[in-house]
Amino acid sequence: MNEEIPDALRPRPFGGDMERWRSETERAVRFQAACAEQRGAAFEPAGAVRTVERTPWGWIRWGYPLQTELRFDDAFPAEIGVFAPEGRKSWRAVAARAVWGRRPAPTVRQLGAADLPVAVSVSRLALLVAAVLLLTPVLDEYMAAGRSLLVAGAVGAALAWGVPGVLALATRRHVRVLDAAVPHADRVHRLLALQQAVASAAAASDVAELRRAVGTGHRFLWDGLGLVMAADGHGSELEVVEEYEAAYLRLHTASVHALAERERLEGTLTELDAADEDVDGPPGAYRGHRRSRLVEEAVPSGVLDEITEGLDELAAGLRHAQHTVGRVAGSLTAEEVRHEGR
């Protein structure tokens, strides 16, 4: 039975940035309303509006069930995509990052008094225009002007839309995508929440153990997606994910304690620096044989134990430093009193 994840630890869109969440969601709603108006249909915001958050390890499509109003607490990860943790070792890994999870954000432009929804990638449109401008003069020598323009446009469209599609198929094994409707997807959501919390702590501090943990968390998410998509019922795949949850939760608890001790120590040093200034002192989804291979190749959850122990030692060291600084400051104060008594 794994430890329960606190309510405060749940996935949050854009790292908890409510202003960005609201602007992105309102733009998506406006886009859907403009599309419905162009089709001559009434817009009913009863479905889920999705916006994309890109991360160093993949992407998240946040869903918002729009029943009455936009509420931050209603956001949920409708889709999670994770790139293979091998990074940039092969051209397929680089191509996977270029073509997966990169849908353009929906925008609405004004054309007269009407809203014009636009969801065309600027890079694709630029490639199409470049192909037409470069190929048309060359093809004019071999065919009629109208036909050369048509052929150049077809080639440009094939390059702009066909090449990314082919690359997506060729790099499919370098990305894992989990939909919220998949059974046991909530297990990955809990891993994602812990990954967000540890990544936020690592960004706010220079603790090497936390930076290592963020990289390990990428591997946990990669393994977790594959194991959950391969699991049927409550097999060994889900047991591995439960171990990930427990290990990551222990790591998060250790990181919170370590950062709290560092904050206390920094507060003590700041107070001493202020006191020194007063006295003018110095400043201080798989099947078949691949399912069993996923379990065998999954990184052991115990890999975080070493990092957790390092954070515990860091917290203990910071506590010792704080006590030492306090004792030294106290003895110096006593010496000053005795000196003034003379």
Side-chain angles (χ1 to χ4, degrees):
M1 191 73 176
N2 59 317
E3 302 173 65
E4 184 180 355
I5 304 295
D7 292 338
L9 281 178
R10 62 183 187 84
R12 292 186 174 276
F14 305 103
D17 188 344
M18 295 187 65
E19 291 299 324
R20 184 181 175 189
W21 163 79
R22 184 169 292 278
S23 64
E24 292 282 351
T25 307
E26 288 177 348
R27 182 169 61 177
V29 172
R30 186 183 174 200
F31 176 82
Q32 287 192 350
C35 289
E37 183 178 352
Q38 281 197 338
R39 296 194 304 267
F43 173 60
E44 298 180 0
V49 175
R50 297 187 178 188
T51 58
V52 181
E53 176 185 355
R54 298 182 177 93
T55 69
W57 46 263
W59 73 89
I60 310 169
R61 285 189 205 285
W62 294 101
Y64 308 94
L66 301 180
Q67 301 298 336
T68 54
E69 59 181 352
L70 294 178
R71 295 193 305 177
F72 186 75
D73 291 338
D74 290 341
F76 64 95
E79 178 185 281
I80 300 175
V82 180
F83 297 120
E86 294 86 31
R88 305 179 183 276
K89 292 183 178 180
S90 67
W91 72 268
R92 291 179 184 274
V94 177
R97 291 177 176 270
V99 300
W100 285 91
R102 301 300 185 193
R103 297 179 191 171
T107 58
V108 176
R109 302 185 187 279
Q110 294 289 333
L111 183 61
D115 288 339
L116 179 64
V118 179
V120 178
S121 170
V122 176
S123 60
R124 288 182 176 179
L125 186 61
L127 183 58
L128 174 62
V129 172
V132 170
L133 294 178
L134 294 176
L135 291 178
T136 301
V138 177
L139 296 175
D140 281 342
E141 299 180 2
Y142 303 97
M143 58 186 66
R147 183 174 298 178
S148 64
L149 180 62
L150 181 62
V151 172
V155 172
L159 291 174
W161 278 268
V163 171
V166 172
L167 287 177
L169 291 176
T171 59
R172 183 64 183 87
R173 295 177 67 90
H174 290 264
V175 64
R176 290 175 180 171
V177 183
L178 179 73
D179 191 89
V182 172
H184 310 293
D186 57 317
R187 298 177 184 272
V188 177
H189 296 171
R190 291 196 291 268
L191 281 178
L192 173 61
L194 291 167
Q195 168 76 347
Q196 286 183 327
V198 174
S200 177
S205 65
D206 57 351
V207 179
E209 289 83 356
L210 290 178
R211 292 196 297 270
R212 284 183 57 199
V214 172
T216 304
H218 179 184
R219 179 62 191 272
F220 275 21
L221 286 173
W222 171 259
D223 289 347
L225 260 70
L227 292 166
V228 166
M229 288 189 292
D232 286 334
H234 299 275
S236 58
E237 301 89 359
L238 297 181
E239 292 177 1
V240 176
V241 180
E242 288 178 359
E243 293 176 2
Y244 284 178
E245 288 183 42
Y248 222 154
L249 185 56
R250 290 194 300 271
L251 172 71
H252 176 264
T253 302
S255 68
V256 169
H257 292 165
L259 295 180
E261 295 299 336
R262 167 168 290 197
E263 185 177 352
R264 292 192 190 97
L265 175 60
E266 291 176 349
T268 302
L269 294 175
T270 301
E271 293 175 359
L272 291 176
D273 288 343
D276 289 340
E277 291 176 2
D278 293 338
V279 295
D280 298 328
Y286 306 99
R287 290 295 182 268
H289 69 280
R290 296 186 64 190
R291 291 178 53 192
S292 58
R293 193 173 75 248
L294 283 168
V295 177
E296 295 172 358
E297 295 179 354
V299 61
S301 61
V303 73
L304 286 183
D305 292 344
E306 178 186 348
I307 302 176
T308 303
E309 291 174 2
L311 288 170
D312 288 336
E313 293 175 1
L314 174 63
L318 291 172
R319 283 195 298 271
H320 177 72
Q322 182 184 8
H323 295 330
T324 302
V325 170
R327 288 198 302 272
V328 172
S331 62
L332 289 177
T333 304
E335 288 292 339
E336 292 174 1
V337 171
R338 288 198 295 272
H339 180 74
E340 292 177 359
R342 295 178 185 174

